[in-house]
Amino acid sequence: MKKNIFYILATIFFHLSFFAQTQDTALQAFSGKIKQYVRNDFNADPQFWAMCEDRDGTIFFGNNDGVIIFDGEHWQKINLPNNSSVRSLLTTPNNTIYAGGYNEIGTIQKDSNGRYFYRSLIEDLQLEGKNIENIWQIHSLNNKILCRAFDELIIITGKTATHIPASTSFIYSNLAGNNYYIQDANHGILKLDSKGRELVQVFTADEFNNEEIAAILPAANNKLLVSVKSGNIYEANPETGKMQLLNNVFTNLPKDQVISAIRYSSDAIFLGTLSSKILVINNKGEVLKTPAVFQNLQDAVIHQLYKTASNNVWAMQNIGLAFIDFKSPYTYLFNKASVYDALLHNGVYYLATNQGIYYSSQNSNSMAPEFKKVPNLHGQAWSLQLLEGDIIVGHDNGLFKIQDGQAIKIGSVSGFWKVTPITNKKGFYLASHYNGIYLLENNSGNWVLHNKITGFDESSRDIIASDEPDTYWVCHGYKGVFRIRINPSYQRVSAVDHFTNKNGLGSSFNVNVTRWQNEIVFTTNTGIYRFDAAQNKFISHAQLNSILDSTKNTRKLTQYGNKTWFVQDDEAGYFFTDEKHPTLHKDLFLNLKGSFNRGMECIVSLSSNSILFGTTTGLYLYNIENNKNSNGINTTLTQISYSKDQELKLLPLTTNESEPITLPNQTDILRFEFATPKMPHGTEVQYSYVLENVDKNWSNWQNIAYKEYTHLRPGNYKFKVRSRNTAGLSGTEAVYNFTILPKWYQTTLAYILYIIAAIVLLFAIIRYISKRMERDHLKSQKEAQRAKKLLELELEQLKLQRDKEQMSRDKMHLEEDVLNKSKELANYTMLLASKKDIFSEITDDLKQLKESVKNDDSRKKILEMFQKLNQHKIGEEYMEVFDVNFEKVHHNFFEKLKEINPTLTKRELRLCAFVKMDLTNKEISPLLNISLRGVENARYRVRKKLNVNHEDNFVSFLEGVAKEAEEPQENE
């Protein structure tokens, strides 16, 4: 496994060219990131002195306030009985944690509820009342616990303590292999004998100038590497008792002091210093180039260093803790500006940023890039391209060539995005401008910017050559897609086709063009499209849309080797291009979410497994084939608590399905806290959980390390939680079974009593109902008799009602008959009046004829005709008949009108009756023997007498009067 890790890391830094060819390959692992922990995180004093970890990955720190415990998510503090600081910690092979403080030594234990506590061994070891002062270091050797104080070495075997006093004072101790070495001031370095009873001198004080030792570390061939605080590095041979000075680490550095040291690998040793942070040396004592990751430490004072089981390092500092993650999937290379493009050329990195062009200036043996800025090129840079051996920059100020750390401008025009080669014209390029396209030529290394190509004035930031010669696709951020054709001489654009959402695109905004699988594709807000030349429109790209969610905005799509990289809705990821059903890999890059430059996302592949991302916060290097072995990474429940009636109680952490933990009814809040201690602390850890019988599915992944449930119902439950980190590691699943007890009235006995009570109640109800039915039967009989009488009365009343209704109908028929007769009478009267007029006309005609006839016989005949007409002349008798009958029919109506106005004449009353009968003025005229004009005047006078407004309907008014006239008769 270590071999694989080494190979992967070596591959990454081979492409970066950050390492010297002669330098030890172990240094290639020193790329990573630092996660700093401060007082607000652990809530204790910021000074740390010691550290250890148990087999589960939980970490214990010695602090001025006691023991600080960290499981990767939660911090816990334990105070010693005398509240002293903890200067030493040890994890034994049987996973016992020892802690040493001032006049205190004991063990750190965990109860069944997951809470840690300190158990003092002072009484067991019969050390009460003895002034042993601080226990500075604790080691384990051959089932013995070795505790170093200044004045003595205490060897603990079971409950027995053996004391070996110091000649002067014990100032340092350490294990090297199976040997325990200890420095006695003025007496050199001593070794504990094989029986563990006495100390024997191995090296005299003169061998290392009696300097205070910072570290004794194992070396090759059973030798030792000894570092003293002054910075001298010695190679020591225990067999000969001789020590050889190899080097002083501060020879070419400012004078400082070495405080601690650890061996990280076979040829790499980390030195913690008083003010120089961490130095790296090899077995020869030579100081290697300090990794960039160490330069990011916030505190220069390193009290102690600790290498974890996962080969990462903790630095205990004066102001907190620093976790140095050498297994981080990414390295933060640059943070001075927003990166829009990156280029690696001849081992030097070039970055296009919003502040200009940066490049890595150090030589090939550098371990990390140090960037300098091109001095004469400031402002927004968009692109970096290697063209015919030259580095060409697209910049807000124009096109530039980078040479010897300087920028040389090409032409005099400003505002270029990038450069695109012309496939059929060697040495010629298209320079994409803010307002069109320029022709660029490389003439034997001399770059010449020609005139603008006429006929196209749109911004051409996103441009790609079509499969057709001299044809290009240009995507505009707001206007859609243009297809332009340029004439063979590249002087002008001969044709422009403009495509928008009317041509198959879902939207005209945010369209980008790229090549995928040697096909031109267009990424948009509404999916990915390709152009169908036969239909002359854009159609959905079925394959890519089945892989990438078409509801999200795919802003970047680029293919490197067997992987296709993308940025979709601010999330970066990749999938394997040739897979039949590709899976999206995005979790590793979640820390980049929301940090990309929109429309100018920067993804640069260095190799199949190394990728660069340019973001608004800088440049990141990712290794996507880091060790993905998740063996031994367990998701653990660290604390389970519940509250009832505002009282918090803890639950045991161990449970099984056959004997679940029971909780009382009406539990207000049930809280699960969990962690994954062995998960690397430098990468974000996420959790997903499910509570069976409550949750239908696993929750979404989130970085919150607890879950609360409120007011769960009685029943059996199983809580499950799993973990992962963004580097692809997964933790095992933790399971917890528990039961919430029912209330007393929800138990089985209660349900039996409920059934018995229900049966008794049922019988009582039946008996009650029977008696009630008897009473109801008697009552119903009486009610039936009463109802019979009421029915007879109702029938009688119904009969009377029917008679009354019949009378009403008869009356209505009579009234209708009277109305009809009145109309017939009026019609008859009008007929007689008409005939009277005809007689009058005939009489007049005969009179005229008599005057004109001279014959006596004729005159005599006409005279006879006069006599007959006079004998049958229609007089006024018909009107008298009409008046008498009409008066009888409309008597009540006339009386009601007279009540309104007594001055109404007989003719006016008759006019009102005619109007009510809905006769026209023409029909009324002969009945009243007046002209049409006279009828209109008469109607006007009557309306005025009756106070009928001009806008009111006269007929409706008279019908209302008629109804009022009929009501007294109905009441009678």
Side-chain angles (χ1 to χ4, degrees), residues 414-429:
S414 299
F416 283 95
W417 297 108
K418 65 178 183 179
V419 173
T420 303
I422 301 175
T423 55
N424 56 354
K425 293 176 72 70
K426 186 177 180 180
F428 285 89
Y429 301 83

Side-chain angles (χ1 to χ4, degrees), residues 170-213:
F170 294 137
I171 56 177
Y172 176 81
S173 63
N174 197 15
L175 284 176
N178 291 321
N179 295 312
Y180 178 74
Y181 296 94
I182 190 168
Q183 181 186 10
D184 191 342
N186 302 322
H187 291 83
I189 300 174
L190 312 178
K191 182 177 78 171
L192 186 66
D193 69 356
S194 59
K195 295 182 180 180
R197 295 179 180 176
E198 61 178 345
L199 296 170
V200 295
Q201 190 180 54
V202 181
F203 302 100
T204 63
D206 295 337
E207 291 293 326
F208 53 95
N209 295 324
N210 198 28
E211 295 185 81
E212 188 173 352
I213 293 175

Side-chain angles (χ1 to χ4, degrees), residues 821-835:
K821 295 297 184 182
S822 296
K823 289 187 177 180
E824 290 177 2
L825 179 60
N827 292 334
Y828 179 71
T829 303
M830 285 189 290
L831 181 60
L832 290 177
S834 177
K835 287 183 178 182

Side-chain angles (χ1 to χ4, degrees), residues 24 26-27 30 215-220 224-227 233-234 246 249 258 260-272 278-289 291 294 305 313:
D24 191 276
L27 293 179
F30 306 150
I216 299 176
L217 303 174
L224 302 175
L225 200 68
V226 178
S227 170
I233 306 297
Y234 295 89
L246 300 177
V249 297
V258 177
S260 60
I262 59 169
R263 176 175 290 280
Y264 183 78
S265 64
S266 61
D267 195 26
I269 296 152
F270 293 170
L271 305 179
I278 300 175
L279 303 178
V280 183
I281 64 171
N282 58 19
N283 286 330
K284 297 179 181 179
E286 298 169 340
V287 179
L288 307 178
K289 180 70 177 182
F294 292 160
L305 292 168
V313 172

Side-chain angles (χ1 to χ4, degrees), residues 1-260:
M1 183 176 71
K2 291 183 178 179
K3 186 177 180 181
N4 292 335
I5 296 172
F6 166 78
Y7 173 76
I8 293 167
L9 294 172
T11 301
I12 295 173
F13 287 95
F14 170 78
H15 288 280
L16 288 174
S17 299
F18 290 156
F19 300 96
Q21 298 297 320
T22 59
Q23 203 166 40
D24 191 276
T25 56
L27 293 179
Q28 296 178 11
F30 306 150
S31 173
K33 62 179 182 178
I34 289 179
K35 186 172 183 179
Q36 200 80 32
Y37 296 93
V38 296
R39 181 192 291 267
N40 289 337
D41 296 314
F42 45 77
N43 194 25
D45 189 88
Q47 285 189 328
F48 290 85
W49 308 105
M51 174 185 163
C52 69
E53 63 177 331
D54 65 11
R55 63 178 59 160
D56 296 326
T58 302
I59 301 171
F60 302 81
F61 297 99
N63 181 270
N64 283 343
D65 286 344
V67 179
I68 309 300
I69 304 168
F70 183 49
D71 60 16
E73 297 290 351
H74 313 97
W75 299 85
Q76 183 180 343
K77 181 170 64 176
I78 299 176
N79 298 111
L80 270 58
N82 59 4
N83 292 318
S84 75
S85 62
V86 174
R87 295 281 182 163
S88 56
L89 286 166
L90 169 71
T91 303
T92 65
N94 64 359
N95 206 39
T96 301
I97 310 297
Y98 283 86
Y102 184 81
N103 287 331
E104 266 294 340
I105 184 170
T107 59
I108 307 298
Q109 301 179 18
K110 184 168 67 171
D111 61 21
S112 61
N113 298 328
R115 302 298 293 175
Y116 289 92
F117 62 93
Y118 175 81
R119 182 183 179 277
S120 177
L121 296 178
I122 295 297
E123 184 177 348
D124 293 346
L125 299 175
Q126 300 179 3
L127 298 176
E128 306 100 315
K130 293 187 178 181
N131 186 21
I132 57 177
E133 296 189 349
N134 275 308
I135 302 296
W136 292 98
Q137 287 171 301
I138 305 177
H139 296 92
S140 175
L141 180 65
N142 299 328
N143 297 321
K144 292 179 173 60
I145 305 301
L146 312 175
C147 304
R148 179 185 69 84
F150 273 147
D151 295 334
E152 61 179 336
L153 175 65
I154 303 173
I155 303 175
I156 301 173
T157 308
K159 293 187 177 182
T160 302
T162 302
H163 301 265
I164 300 179
S167 298
T168 306
S169 63
F170 294 137
I171 56 177
Y172 176 81
S173 63
N174 197 15
L175 284 176
N178 291 321
N179 295 312
Y180 178 74
Y181 296 94
I182 190 168
Q183 181 186 10
D184 191 342
N186 302 322
H187 291 83
I189 300 174
L190 312 178
K191 182 177 78 171
L192 186 66
D193 69 356
S194 59
K195 295 182 180 180
R197 295 179 180 176
E198 61 178 345
L199 296 170
V200 295
Q201 190 180 54
V202 181
F203 302 100
T204 63
D206 295 337
E207 291 293 326
F208 53 95
N209 295 324
N210 198 28
E211 295 185 81
E212 188 173 352
I213 293 175
I216 299 176
L217 303 174
N221 301 321
N222 296 321
K223 294 182 180 181
L224 302 175
L225 200 68
V226 178
S227 170
V228 299
K229 292 193 173 182
S230 65
N232 287 333
I233 306 297
Y234 295 89
E235 183 183 67
N237 189 338
E239 294 181 359
T240 62
K242 297 297 182 181
M243 300 176 65
Q244 177 186 356
L245 178 63
L246 300 177
N247 187 30
N248 186 289
V249 297
F250 302 118
T251 300
N252 297 317
L253 297 173
K255 293 299 181 183
D256 200 353
Q257 188 177 91
V258 177
I259 302 177
S260 60

Side-chain angles (χ1 to χ4, degrees), residues 854-954:
K854 302 298 183 181
N855 190 300
D856 291 337
D857 292 337
S858 298
R859 294 174 64 90
K860 182 178 182 181
K861 191 64 176 176
I862 292 172
L863 183 60
E864 290 175 358
M865 292 174 67
F866 269 121
Q867 290 175 354
K868 289 179 181 179
L869 288 173
N870 288 330
Q871 290 175 359
H872 298 285
K873 180 176 69 171
I874 300 173
E876 296 296 329
E877 298 85 0
Y878 70 92
M879 289 303 299
E880 293 178 359
V881 174
F882 176 80
D883 290 341
V884 172
N885 288 282
F886 200 81
E887 185 73 25
K888 289 179 180 179
V889 173
H890 300 285
H891 175 74
N892 292 335
F893 176 63
F894 290 160
E895 290 296 329
K896 193 67 179 175
L897 290 174
K898 288 181 179 180
E899 289 179 6
I900 298 173
N901 193 332
T903 63
L904 290 172
T905 64
K906 189 174 183 180
R907 175 174 288 183
E908 290 172 341
L909 291 172
R910 191 181 300 165
L911 173 64
C912 291
F914 291 152
V915 172
K916 185 178 77 70
M917 290 167 62
D918 204 20
L919 298 180
T920 64
N921 290 350
K922 187 176 181 181
E923 293 171 336
I924 295 172
S925 174
L927 293 176
L928 295 181
N929 198 20
I930 58 177
S931 63
L932 287 175
R933 183 65 178 175
V935 174
E936 292 175 357
N937 292 335
R939 289 183 69 149
Y940 174 76
R941 288 194 299 271
V942 172
R943 288 176 69 101
K944 192 171 182 181
K945 285 184 177 182
L946 295 176
N947 295 321
V948 180
N949 295 327
H950 177 71
E951 61 272 11
D952 294 337
N953 190 290
F954 192 34

